[in-house]
Amino acid sequence: MPPVSKPRPVGGALLPLIGAIPFIGILGGIWFANRVTPYVLGMPFILFWIVLWVALISVVMAVIYKLDPRNREEHSA
């Protein structure tokens, strides 16, 4: 039976960089989104931008959770 290899842990500087994406998206993109038109889903564009990033933050946090090797440890009782 071939040995089962563990997946390589992702860590180091990658996880903080991924965690910085929402920060850059909201604060860095505010200059891009600082306008009222076009209306998206009935919201001014800047409000849509912020709501979009709130949703994307949860996606980014889920990715970080999956990539963090500390969450892969088996809990033996």
Side-chain angles (χ1 to χ4, degrees):
M1 183 171 180
V4 178
S5 64
K6 290 184 174 182
R8 282 181 62 189
V10 178
L14 182 61
L15 293 180
L17 287 177
I18 293 173
I21 290 173
F23 178 78
I24 294 169
I26 288 180
L27 294 181
I30 206 72
W31 284 278
F32 164 74
N34 190 14
R35 62 186 75 164
V36 174
T37 57
Y39 286 93
V40 181
L41 302 174
M43 296 181 282
F45 188 70
I46 191 166
L47 181 60
F48 169 74
W49 183 262
I50 293 170
V51 169
L52 174 72
W53 275 104
V54 167
L56 289 176
I57 285 171
S58 62
V59 172
V60 169
M61 291 299 120
V63 168
I64 289 173
Y65 180 81
K66 288 290 185 182
L67 292 178
D68 193 350
R70 290 176 287 186
N71 296 325
R72 293 186 191 155
E73 295 176 1
E74 295 181 24
H75 298 283
S76 60

